Amino acid sequence: MKVLILPDRAAAIARVAEIIVAQVSCAPASVLGLATGGTMLPVYAHLREAHRGGLSLARITSFNLDEYVGLPPDHPASYHCYMRENLFDGTDADAARIHLPRGDAPDPQQEADRYEAKIEAVGGIDLQLLGIGRNGHIGFNEPTSSLGSRTRVKTLTEDTRMANLRFFDDEAQVPQFAITMGIQTILSARHCLLLATGRKKAAAVRGMVEGPVSAFCPASALQMHPRATVVLDPDAAEALTLRNYYDHIHPGGRSRLYSELHRG
Ligand code: F6R
């Protein structure tokens, strides 16, 4: 796991955007796994800016991590709506290659199976963008989610429902269930890129990076991934025991190659 601690929140966001832009620039037909939530809003603002500066999204294929069960794509709190408003509208992304689970599917589990099969059919995800919940969830894989899980329906914890209350009119409207990629679906991506900012995420970040691999902290499964990059601001990194070591390896959050350090 590569842990990059940037000097501040804005720098952490910019670093993640830079990695995504580099991926799409080098491989314009990349398959991207995308996340929603508050943390990603400024990342998508950067991507829209990069698009205005000439980056084309026309050939990308995307799969979002999750969607609330029961919400149709035009519901203002749906992740379909979030993605259109915050990233895709006004870009040249091809709507036919943008994928999110249908929250209003008559049979949500069948929809989850269809979604998983579709990811496989395009050859898997090149770069999976992730946020982290305060309880260590990735996607909507809440604590005790099977580390071997694939896309399926999950029951949201009360903590997650309350954290997302701000996107709904009142508590009763916050869905109880979501269709989410499973942990194993996420681990199948060729590169996982997780962004966490703010002190509220510090305990979850510690569990993910330095805790035991455990279904109790689903994000800790990333320790098993051969190419996982975790980008943090100082607040989210605050509880890490080996923080100085991560700073030493990647000063200021810049990658340093062993070969560069040992030249000559
Ligand atoms: C949403 C998702 C979630 C969020 C997480 C953090 O697609 O995958 O795992 O990344 O709940 O949300 P924020 O960024 O709002 O703190």
Side-chain angles (χ1 to χ4, degrees):
M1 191 180 269
K2 189 190 272 188
V3 180
L4 307 180
I5 305 170
L6 277 292
D8 56 37
R9 179 173 174 270
I13 290 159
R15 185 80 175 94
V16 164
E18 180 185 279
I19 295 170
I20 302 168
V21 169
Q23 170 74 37
V24 176
S25 303
C26 293
S30 289
V31 181
L32 303 181
L34 298 175
T36 58
T39 311
M40 295 306 149
L41 291 171
V43 173
Y44 293 148
H46 271 270
L47 294 185
R48 288 205 315 273
E49 182 68 38
H51 173 66
R52 285 192 289 275
L55 180 78
S56 174
L57 301 179
R59 293 179 59 206
I60 64 155
T61 295
S62 72
F63 288 91
N64 265 75
L65 282 163
D66 39 25
E67 178 60 286
Y68 292 112
V69 169
L71 300 196
D74 59 354
H75 189 289
S78 72
Y79 288 164
H80 280 80
C81 208
Y82 171 107
M83 291 308 297
R84 281 196 303 272
E85 277 177 11
N86 297 301
L87 181 59
F88 292 125
D89 278 359
T91 72
D92 59 351
D94 179 356
R97 283 204 295 270
I98 294 170
H99 304 282
L100 291 96
R102 287 283 303 229
D104 59 348
D107 181 340
Q109 187 49 55
Q110 203 174 66
E111 170 66 3
D113 294 342
R114 184 197 64 82
Y115 198 69
E116 181 77 31
K118 207 157 190 174
I119 296 172
E120 227 178 284
V122 303
I125 291 170
D126 295 309
L127 177 64
Q128 176 66 57
L129 183 59
L130 297 162
I132 185 170
R134 289 182 304 204
N135 62 6
H137 73 214
I138 46 175
F140 274 137
N141 294 285
E142 300 283 35
T144 72
S145 286
S146 161
L147 300 186
S149 52
R150 295 279 172 182
T151 308
R152 70 216 182 291
V153 177
K154 282 298 292 179
T155 307
L156 303 178
T157 62
E158 276 313 289
D159 187 48
T160 297
R161 289 186 67 242
M162 290 313 104
N164 288 319
L165 175 59
R166 64 192 191 279
F167 299 110
F168 294 85
D169 291 338
D170 61 65
E171 196 179 321
Q173 311 234 331
V174 186
Q176 309 265 2
F177 304 99
I179 297 174
T180 179
M181 283 187 201
I183 308 266
Q184 209 44 239
T185 318
I186 292 169
L187 293 182
S188 299
R190 287 177 271 283
H191 183 189
C192 287
L193 174 63
L194 185 143
L195 171 65
T197 55
R199 206 155 271 153
K200 283 184 184 158
K201 301 293 174 72
V205 165
R206 180 171 182 185
M208 164 176 66
V209 177
E210 297 178 338
V213 174
S214 157
F216 195 69
C217 177
S220 66
L222 292 172
Q223 292 176 29
M224 306 292 289
H225 196 284
R227 194 171 173 217
T229 304
V230 172
V231 180
L232 306 172
D233 71 352
D235 284 344
E238 161 184 279
L240 291 172
T241 306
L242 296 182
R243 189 190 159 149
N244 290 344
Y245 176 59
Y246 312 132
D247 272 332
H248 171 65
I249 311 170
H250 304 296
R254 291 279 132 198
S255 299
R256 277 205 304 179
L257 296 176
Y258 178 81
S259 54
E260 284 169 10
L261 293 177
H262 295 269
R263 212 175 273 144

